[in-house]
Amino acid sequence: RPDFADFAPGTTTTFDANGVPLVRGSNPDLGPRVSTNYDASAEYYFNDGMLSFAVFHKDISNETFSQRSVVTDSSGQTIQINTIPLNTGSAKVTGFEVSASKRHLDFLPGPLSRFGVSANYTLLDGTWNVVFSDATTRSVGGLRAQPKWLANLSLTYDAGPLDFALNYKKQGRIFTGTFGTDATTDIWIRPYDRLDLQASWQITKQFRVAFDAKNLTNSYYVQTTGTENSIYNSVGNGRSYWMSLQYKY
């Protein structure tokens, strides 16, 4: 089904960093997206770990996208940007994913054997074709909100009272689903990476302290228009830290 904000009646107006009005409309005639999926996978399990590999293909019809149009004045300055959702699009994506994990690195000596590691990598090769309201067509090499690739790496440790997990993720350029009349006005999100940490310490049988640090790399999602070097907007919460004391009785 389409997103509620895409078909619910109403218009939303915000402003970009330059004070230009961003007017987003809705479309009550949107229908559901339909996809046909094909996938195959293989998994191998060994002591305290596993390896997996998968390939997949997806065909999508009636894909919803945002048509973007720019209003300029007589001097060529942008005075308003309009977007409206349409579902006259089709898309396809082919990719593969490989994953590996080992809960305990038991080949290491002593306490080091309590370390564990897991990693995965996914590649997404997509094409999105759309028909604009004036019957013109365009294609973009990416699907809505899906990166070109993404990877994750986790390092864990569990030894008695102390546990921690360090998680790093990185992803390629993401197409937002907002199409311009040409490639210079498409909206993307730059490649993004992030590091998180979770740790806990069982002080006594009843007391446990937990610590959580999010986004240690202080990363932001940066939207760009057309090219990766053109900054359109940035969104992010910066670093955050949480600590809790738990009592069990």
Side-chain angles (χ1 to χ4, degrees), residues 148-215:
K148 298 281 191 177
W149 58 269
L150 63 157
N152 297 276
L153 177 64
S154 297
L155 179 67
T156 60
Y157 185 79
D158 61 350
L162 177 64
D163 297 326
F164 82 84
L166 190 64
N167 304 301
Y168 178 71
K169 72 174 183 178
K170 190 174 181 64
Q171 59 192 31
R173 198 176 182 215
I174 301 172
F175 183 52
T176 62
T178 300
F179 280 78
T181 53
D182 55 48
T184 61
T185 51
D186 294 338
I187 298 180
W188 296 75
I189 295 175
R190 284 183 179 175
Y192 175 85
D193 67 326
R194 172 171 168 163
L195 182 67
D196 299 328
L197 171 68
Q198 295 86 37
S200 67
W201 180 29
Q202 193 74 41
I203 303 174
T204 67
K205 197 171 184 179
Q206 289 79 30
F207 285 97
R208 180 174 177 265
V209 174
F211 176 74
D212 196 352
K214 298 289 189 183
N215 194 18

Side-chain angles (χ1 to χ4, degrees), residues 6 9 25 34 50 112 129 148 164 184 190 193 197 199 212 217-218 220:
D6 289 337
V34 179
M50 61 92 69
L112 296 180
N129 306 298
K148 298 281 191 177
F164 82 84
T184 61
R190 284 183 179 175
D193 67 326
L197 171 68
D212 196 352
T217 49
N218 198 29
Y220 285 77

Side-chain angles (χ1 to χ4, degrees), residues 74-209:
S74 57
S75 65
Q77 293 294 316
T78 299
I79 60 174
Q80 186 169 302
I81 298 174
N82 302 318
T83 61
I84 185 171
L86 302 173
N87 67 340
T88 53
S90 63
K92 61 181 179 180
V93 60
T94 301
F96 72 86
E97 180 177 38
V98 58
S99 302
S101 66
K102 185 79 166 65
R103 183 179 178 185
H104 293 132
L105 303 181
D106 41 25
F107 54 85
L108 296 176
L112 296 180
S113 64
R114 305 304 296 180
F115 276 104
V117 65
S118 65
N120 79 289
Y121 176 84
T122 304
L123 177 68
L124 298 160
D125 181 17
T127 302
W128 196 347
N129 306 298
V130 299
V131 181
F132 290 135
S133 55
D134 63 359
T136 58
T137 61
R138 277 206 60 219
S139 295
V140 164
L143 272 62
R144 179 174 62 163
Q146 288 190 351
K148 298 281 191 177
W149 58 269
L150 63 157
N152 297 276
L153 177 64
S154 297
L155 179 67
T156 60
Y157 185 79
D158 61 350
L162 177 64
D163 297 326
F164 82 84
L166 190 64
N167 304 301
Y168 178 71
K169 72 174 183 178
K170 190 174 181 64
Q171 59 192 31
R173 198 176 182 215
I174 301 172
F175 183 52
T176 62
T178 300
F179 280 78
T181 53
D182 55 48
T184 61
T185 51
D186 294 338
I187 298 180
W188 296 75
I189 295 175
R190 284 183 179 175
Y192 175 85
D193 67 326
R194 172 171 168 163
L195 182 67
D196 299 328
L197 171 68
Q198 295 86 37
S200 67
W201 180 29
Q202 193 74 41
I203 303 174
T204 67
K205 197 171 184 179
Q206 289 79 30
F207 285 97
R208 180 174 177 265
V209 174

